[in-house]
Amino acid sequence: MALFGSIIKSLIEIKENLTPEGDALKDQEEVLRNLLKKAKDTEFGRHYDFERILNSDNIKKEFASTVPYFDYHKIDKEWWHKYHDDGAKNVTWPGRPPYFAISSGTTGKTSKRIPVSDDMLEAIRKAGIKQVSALSNFDLPPDFFEKEIMMLGSSTDLQKQGDHQEGEISGISASNIPFWFRSYYKPGEEIAKIDEWDDRVQKIAENAKNWDIGALSGIPSWMELMLKKVIEYHDLNHIHEIWPNLQVYTSGGVAFEPYEKSFNKLLGKPIQVIDTYLASEGFLALQDRPGTNSMKLILDGGVYFEFVPFKPEYINEDGSLTKDAPAIPLEETRKEEEYVLLISTVSGAWRYIIGDTIKFTNKEKYEIRITGRTKFFLNVVGSQLSVNKMNDAIKSLEDKFDISIPEFVVAAKRGEDGEYYHYWYLATEDNADAEELSEALDHALKEANKNYKVARSKALKGVKVKLVSPDMFHDWNAANKKKGGQVKMEKVMNEEKFNEWEQFVQDQK
């Protein structure tokens, strides 16, 4: 039975060995040049004179000095709205997008509608092939390549809106999978089209015994919920009792480490975790080798990258960049320094603030880790806490107290005594003492961040911790956005949003 798998594995290994490693810097300049060439006759390209940029001596420098930064709200207000309001074409990319990716992001209830061009779908398809090819670098047996893959995304039942369709990017991608892959793909077209998350997961649980799943793919928080449902429905001790050949989990969109401990409790044996970076705006990076938890930027795939140093003076309160924030190209980045990621893409996003912060862990291989979100930067009283530092502190609590904390949210606000405190809500199903966790969390943050330590000696009075069930976070997302898909929990809230959260927690009791 493993013969077919051996053939597939051999073909993948041959392709991987025959595909030459490109020159990253040349690839990126070529991507930018192609983007400018293809879009030079669009409204956007004419407005910013892409023809002149293409004829300049240094197109990277000229591009950066000519085109301003755009976050979603700015580019939608100035450009993308024309697709919907005026039925326009050739706005920021040639033609009209056949799809729009709906994304609620991590804050707010208002959905974003991000154009997805045919060129972007092709770029995502090629990135997917790169990911499959990279499996030859992992120690996987031949029979793995005969197993089925559970892709837990949003519904593939896309909504028809005039001449285009709308849905989350995972649903758009799954609705465009190649025909030869469909026999491997689970939960299958019929179940994948179910819009309601709970109904879809119920159907997955009911059918789980009919599938031989070798790999999982999806966001960790929702994958955990699905696995728990399958385990509960079939009265199992762990997921390997029903899917004994499960060997790989492809995570995406968020750092896996905060979920690792709770995720592993659902397994009967260790599996290979592989990170990917598929955002609503494009497939940006993938892990292509074992022995690391970093991802390699896809530098020849229709996305041009720029990087803004992640420093408080360059970040506005809403997570946008200040006008004087400097952007640097790939060659000027440095290892272990945090950057705000900017992308220009084959869907007509230009110098677009995707909202994530990253750091390079290996410059030679151009490998990165997602470290947080620009909006999840807590600096109300000078503490300068990024999500990366928060995640590290939470991990230290898990190790010290032998507990699992898959989710958290924090805000800075004044207490009844008029002093500023950091108020944390930690999700855990384990027995723990909030006061002990508060002291340990405060200590860990002082040790890891000198700015936090200084703030604690001045304007920041202390840390207050409350413990809630992980289900509270899932219910909050369901009430404010939607379950499943690309939805991620916000980690840092402003005072107004945090008051809503606390009221929600109170109402659930």
Side-chain angles (χ1 to χ4, degrees):
M1 285 296 293
L3 177 60
F4 185 55
S6 296
I7 293 171
I8 295 175
K9 185 176 183 181
S10 297
L11 290 173
I12 290 174
E13 288 173 344
I14 290 170
K15 182 183 184 303
E16 184 71 10
N17 291 332
L18 291 179
T19 303
E21 188 76 18
D23 183 312
L25 302 184
K26 287 183 179 178
D27 285 344
Q28 275 289 272
E29 181 158 346
E30 187 65 19
V31 165
L32 177 59
R33 192 175 296 278
N34 288 336
L35 289 173
L36 295 170
K37 281 181 180 177
K38 191 150 189 179
K40 64 183 175 64
D41 294 322
T42 63
E43 287 188 48
F44 192 94
R46 293 195 301 271
H47 182 82
Y48 289 106
D49 201 354
F50 282 5
E51 190 76 60
R52 179 183 56 79
I53 297 174
L54 282 163
N55 291 323
S56 64
D57 294 334
N58 187 330
I59 66 167
K60 290 183 179 181
K61 185 176 180 180
E62 195 66 28
F63 176 66
S65 63
T66 301
V67 181
Y69 301 139
F70 287 92
D71 60 13
Y72 171 78
H73 299 290
K74 178 176 168 63
I75 199 169
D76 185 64
K77 181 179 179 181
E78 296 182 16
W79 298 97
W80 286 348
H81 77 92
K82 298 179 182 182
Y83 288 125
H84 307 290
D85 298 345
D86 307 328
K89 61 181 181 179
N90 302 322
V91 179
T92 63
W93 195 250
R96 281 183 57 79
Y99 299 94
F100 280 82
I102 304 300
S103 171
S104 60
T106 43
T107 57
K109 296 182 181 180
T110 304
S111 292
K112 301 175 182 177
R113 302 162 82 191
I114 298 163
V116 180
S117 66
D118 286 326
D119 293 309
M120 177 55 74
L121 288 177
E122 178 64 10
I124 291 173
R125 186 189 70 81
K126 288 181 177 178
I129 292 173
K130 284 179 183 284
Q131 182 74 79
V132 173
S133 297
L135 290 174
S136 64
N137 299 328
F138 296 84
D139 186 21
L140 298 169
D143 65 353
F144 166 79
F145 296 91
E146 297 179 341
K147 306 306 178 186
E148 295 161 322
I149 300 175
M150 171 64 69
M151 297 173 63
L152 189 69
S154 54
S155 172
T156 59
D157 187 19
L158 307 177
Q159 301 302 304
K160 183 75 173 174
Q161 300 286 344
D163 64 347
H164 67 270
Q165 297 183 78
E166 297 183 351
E168 289 189 18
I169 191 64
S170 56
I172 294 172
S173 299
S175 68
N176 282 276
I177 60 173
F179 72 91
W180 55 265
F181 183 69
R182 289 175 186 170
S183 61
Y184 295 93
Y185 163 61
K186 299 300 173 194
E189 293 182 61
E190 184 177 340
I191 296 176
K193 285 184 177 180
I194 298 173
D195 187 54
E196 287 297 323
W197 162 261
D198 291 325
D199 295 341
R200 199 175 341 136
V201 170
Q202 177 66 28
K203 283 294 184 183
I204 289 173
E206 292 172 4
N207 288 272
K209 63 181 182 298
N210 302 321
W211 303 326
D212 187 6
I213 302 297
L216 304 170
S217 177
I219 286 181
S221 55
W222 304 116
M223 186 62 70
E224 275 194 32
L225 279 187
M226 185 275 287
L227 294 177
K228 286 179 178 178
K229 183 65 176 180
V230 174
I231 291 169
E232 176 190 355
Y233 184 85
H234 294 278
D235 194 23
L236 309 174
N237 293 309
H238 53 74
I239 199 64
H240 277 105
E241 289 183 351
I242 197 167
W243 294 333
N245 295 308
L246 175 61
Q247 299 179 66
V248 169
Y249 168 46
T250 301
S251 179
V254 296
F256 177 68
E257 285 86 351
Y259 304 92
E260 185 174 10
K261 200 158 190 173
S262 57
F263 192 91
N264 287 342
K265 289 180 179 179
L266 307 176
L267 308 177
K269 56 187 176 183
I271 64 175
Q272 175 70 56
V273 177
I274 300 175
D275 279 331
T276 62
Y277 189 2
L278 173 61
S280 297
E281 295 82 0
F283 202 150
L284 306 182
L286 56 87
Q287 182 183 342
D288 69 348
R289 65 186 179 96
T292 181
N293 58 3
S294 299
M295 299 173 289
K296 187 170 187 173
L297 283 175
I298 301 172
L299 299 171
D300 60 354
V303 179
Y304 175 67
F305 297 95
E306 295 174 272
F307 309 86
V308 175
F310 185 43
K311 297 181 178 179
E313 58 265 34
Y314 302 144
I315 312 297
N316 295 316
E317 189 175 341
D318 63 357
S320 62
L321 295 173
T322 62
K323 290 183 179 180
D324 62 344
I328 59 176
L330 181 65
E331 57 266 32
E332 295 178 24
T333 57
R334 300 175 64 177
K335 182 179 177 181
E336 294 298 328
E337 290 193 7
E338 284 191 86
Y339 297 98
V340 178
L341 194 60
L342 297 180
I343 60 172
S344 299
T345 78
V346 289
S347 274
W350 297 102
R351 308 201 77 210
Y352 183 92
I353 307 163
I354 197 168
D356 291 325
T357 59
I358 62 98
K359 69 175 180 180
F360 283 89
T361 56
N362 187 315
K363 275 303 302 289
E364 289 72 29
K365 296 181 181 294
Y366 297 101
E367 290 180 341
I368 64 163
R369 290 291 292 160
I370 301 172
T371 58
R373 299 281 293 171
T374 55
K375 291 183 178 179
F376 299 168
F377 184 56
L378 191 57
N379 193 33
V380 174
V381 288
S383 54
Q384 295 188 23
L385 282 181
S386 66
V387 170
N388 192 36
K389 297 294 186 184
M390 298 179 202
N391 283 338
D392 289 346
I394 294 298
K395 181 69 166 59
S396 73
L397 295 188
E398 291 184 319
D399 293 341
K400 181 174 182 177
F401 295 98
D402 192 24
I403 59 176
S404 172
I405 307 172
E407 300 282 5
F408 68 84
V409 67
V410 60
K413 66 174 189 174
R414 293 186 187 276
E416 293 180 357
D417 58 2
E419 300 285 355
Y420 268 106
Y421 293 84
H422 280 179
Y423 289 82
W424 293 73
Y425 277 78
L426 308 183
T428 185
E429 294 176 331
D430 302 313
N431 291 323
D433 181 88
E435 188 62 37
E436 287 184 353
L437 291 177
S438 175
E439 292 178 7
L441 179 59
D442 190 34
H443 177 74
L445 290 170
K446 285 178 181 176
E447 290 291 306
N449 189 320
K450 64 181 181 180
N451 293 309
Y452 176 86
K453 189 173 183 178
V454 170
R456 280 287 286 112
S457 68
K458 295 181 179 178
L460 183 61
K461 187 71 173 180
V463 171
K464 294 181 182 291
V465 166
K466 290 186 179 179
L467 306 178
V468 294
S469 166
D471 290 339
M472 192 69 69
F473 290 81
H474 303 138
D475 293 343
W476 167 263
N477 272 336
N480 286 270
K481 303 167 195 171
K482 190 177 181 181
K483 276 188 173 181
Q486 301 294 111
V487 175
K488 312 174 190 89
M489 180 66 193
E490 56 226 275
K491 303 294 187 184
V492 177
M493 294 180 179
N494 61 28
E495 190 167 343
E496 180 182 359
K497 190 65 169 288
F498 193 71
N499 288 338
E500 292 179 20
W501 159 260
E502 291 203 296
Q503 187 61 54
F504 178 83
V505 172
Q506 186 65 35
D507 291 345
Q508 302 309 301
K509 292 181 178 179

